[in-house]
Amino acid sequence: MGDTITLSCAKCGSNEFDYPGGVQANLKTSDTITCKGCGASGTYGSAIESAKKQVMDQIKGSFGKLFK
């Protein structure tokens, strides 16, 4: 497990997105991002929340393995 998180599209798995103004920096949670792979779009905030959940699930799975 690394110390960076890569966002990926929930529909197609792509990790390339179009960002407002073409820049990934300083995004607001209400900004809309669009997948370059399939065109799906959503808010940056919802993508971050989804990524947080995935990380927590991975951590819980890793800790579970430690105690077996």
Side-chain angles (χ1 to χ4, degrees):
M1 192 175 350
D3 55 355
T4 60
I5 299 170
T6 302
L7 295 178
S8 59
C9 177
K11 290 189 178 184
C12 75
S14 174
N15 61 358
E16 295 187 26
F17 296 89
D18 282 323
Y19 301 97
V23 180
Q24 186 176 354
N26 300 320
L27 293 173
K28 297 178 184 87
T29 56
S30 60
D31 287 339
T32 298
I33 60 174
T34 304
C35 175
K36 288 185 178 182
C38 69
S41 63
T43 64
Y44 180 66
S46 66
I48 293 299
E49 288 303 314
S50 177
K52 285 180 185 177
K53 182 184 179 320
Q54 290 175 14
V55 168
M56 289 305 297
D57 290 346
Q58 288 177 355
I59 291 170
K60 287 176 185 175
S62 295
F63 277 121
K65 291 176 187 175
L66 288 174
F67 299 106
K68 286 187 177 183

